[in-house]
């Protein structure tokens, strides 16, 4: 039985978030420049987006560049920005053809204007995509996002548009960058580290976490299947008892 056959297609995680780690170490082990690890990582983004769409995943959020990544050596930051432009240019026609819609979350105003323009153009060109949403977290950090939402709500309260008591989980979530998406069901982190590094702190409240030692450039369809099989073996209780969850499943 192949790994794909072991997956219950009725219980595919709707939204998968991935921390793509290990590009640098993958390159170092091959005596390559770190940028070549990122370049291979981009090819994996292409493959995994299509594999996820084939399995029926509706949204894939990828941590492509964190707020903290601005502190990397300038040459690496420049190489990553150039890679985003190259990736957008290379992938847009295929995305349109395959129903992949691009979405971006993060403080993109910090990115070079040329990168912002290309991203915006790709978002517009792929807006009709119905198969899967590829949501790229760029210049993103969850604390930045949460502060940003708090500031927007405080401003609305100060302007008399809302009352402080109107702020609840729903209104708060509506001011996050992911307001247009469901929360992730599954978080995958490659590269062996066991942390979430300022990624989707609010949205991951009830996600299942899956960590693998594989470096992102080595991640493939089988790796994705293994993560989904593990996800499907777990019972998501959302704070309820096992008995309550089983009764609800039958209803
Ligand atoms: C983490 O590996 C990876 C990144 C910081 C960048 C990931 C970006 C891409 C794969 C390209 C994305 C572009 C598009 C358009 C989708 P690391 O450098 O932290 O690896 P290390 O921990 O081994 O040093």
């Amino acid at each position: 039985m192949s790994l794909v056959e072991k997956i219950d297609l009725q219980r595919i995680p709707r939204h998968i978030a991935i921390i793509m780690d290990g590009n640098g170490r993958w390159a170092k082990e091959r005596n390559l420049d770190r940028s070549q690890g990122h370049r291979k990582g981009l090819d994996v983004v292409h493959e995994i987006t299509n594999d996820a769409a084939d399995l029926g995943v509706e949204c894939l959020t990828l941590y492509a560049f964190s707020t903290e990544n601005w502190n990397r050596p300038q040459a690496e930051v420049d190489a990553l920005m150039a890679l985003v432009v190259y990736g957008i240019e290379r992938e847009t026609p295929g995305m349109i053809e395959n129903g992949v819609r691009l979405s971006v979350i993060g403080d993109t105003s910090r990115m070079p204007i040329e990168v912002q323009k290309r991203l915006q153009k790709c978002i517009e060109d792929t807006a009709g995509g119905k198969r899967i949403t590829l949501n790229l977290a760029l210049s993103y950090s969850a604390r930045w996002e949460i502060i940003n939402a708090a500031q927007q709500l405080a401003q609305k309260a100060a302007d008399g548009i809302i009352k402080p008591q109107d702020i609840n989980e729903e209104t708060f979530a509506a001011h996050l960058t992911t307001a247009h998406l469901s929360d992730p069901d599954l978080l995958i982190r490659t590269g062996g580290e066991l942390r979430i590094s300022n990624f989707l702190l609010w949205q991951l409240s009830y996600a299942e976490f899956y960590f693998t030692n594989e470096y992102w450039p080595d991640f493939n369809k089988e790796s994705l299947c293994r993560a989904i099989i593990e996800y499907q073996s777990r019972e998501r209780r959302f704070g309820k008892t096992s008995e309550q969850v089983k009764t609800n499943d039958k209803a």
Side-chain angles (χ1 to χ4, degrees):
M1 200 181 195
S2 73
L3 281 172
V4 182
E5 288 167 337
K6 288 188 182 162
I7 291 179
D8 177 354
L9 294 173
Q10 305 306 313
R11 291 192 302 124
I12 291 291
R14 288 179 63 197
H15 183 170
I16 300 180
I18 307 185
I19 301 177
M20 310 180 287
D21 201 9
N23 293 350
R25 280 165 286 165
W26 181 91
K28 198 170 175 203
E29 283 180 10
R30 288 161 180 77
N31 282 322
L32 299 170
D33 189 70
R34 293 177 60 83
S35 61
Q36 288 170 281
H38 297 315
R39 171 66 205 263
K40 179 73 169 66
L42 175 67
D43 295 342
V44 176
V45 168
H46 173 107
E47 295 300 327
I48 292 298
T49 304
N50 280 317
D51 295 337
D54 286 345
L55 288 167
V57 175
E58 293 167 23
C59 181
L60 194 60
T61 294
L62 303 180
Y63 209 1
F65 193 89
S66 70
T67 305
E68 292 74 19
N69 286 155
W70 287 116
N71 299 321
R72 290 200 174 187
Q74 192 58 42
E76 184 168 349
V77 170
D78 291 347
L80 279 165
M81 291 300 131
L83 189 65
V84 172
V85 171
Y86 169 78
I88 294 298
E89 194 89 321
R90 188 182 80 178
E91 300 293 334
T92 302
M95 289 169 78
I96 297 169
E97 200 172 315
N98 290 299
V100 180
R101 166 179 162 237
L102 182 73
S103 161
V104 174
I105 56 170
D107 186 5
T108 48
S109 66
R110 291 184 68 180
M111 304 181 83
I113 197 77
E114 184 57 25
V115 184
Q116 293 182 43
K117 279 189 193 158
R118 304 271 183 138
L119 287 167
Q120 193 49 43
K121 174 90 171 52
C122 182
I123 290 169
E124 287 161 17
D125 290 348
T126 61
K130 299 264 183 291
R131 210 157 135 256
I132 191 169
T133 297
L134 174 62
N135 182 37
L136 293 183
L138 287 166
S139 188
Y140 174 89
S141 84
R143 289 185 176 180
W144 161 81
E145 172 182 50
I146 289 169
I147 288 168
N148 195 262
Q151 285 178 349
Q152 288 179 52
L153 287 161
Q155 189 63 55
K156 284 186 182 172
D159 294 344
I161 299 167
I162 58 165
K163 297 191 201 73
Q165 56 271 31
D166 293 336
I167 301 173
N168 53 35
E169 284 195 21
E170 210 178 314
T171 51
F172 200 87
H175 288 78
L176 295 173
T177 60
T178 49
H180 58 302
L181 303 169
S182 64
D183 284 347
D185 303 293
L186 170 63
L187 169 78
I188 298 172
R189 181 175 186 142
T190 63
E193 311 292 355
L194 306 179
R195 52 179 175 258
I196 58 171
S197 303
N198 214 348
F199 189 43
L200 302 174
L201 297 181
W202 173 284
Q203 297 88 338
L204 292 172
S205 294
Y206 288 102
E208 294 296 329
F209 286 15
Y210 179 87
F211 297 97
T212 169
N213 288 330
E214 259 181 314
Y215 296 146
W216 177 248
D218 291 324
F219 198 80
N220 58 24
K221 187 168 188 178
E222 281 69 42
S223 323
L224 179 67
C225 289
R226 270 191 286 275
I228 294 176
I229 291 165
E230 166 74 25
Y231 163 86
Q232 292 186 336
S233 76
R234 300 192 197 162
E235 181 184 60
R236 301 184 77 199
R237 291 200 292 275
F238 300 97
K240 296 181 181 172
T241 66
S242 192
E243 288 68 29
Q244 284 176 304
V245 173
K246 287 192 178 108
T247 313
N248 280 352
D249 277 355
K250 280 184 201 130

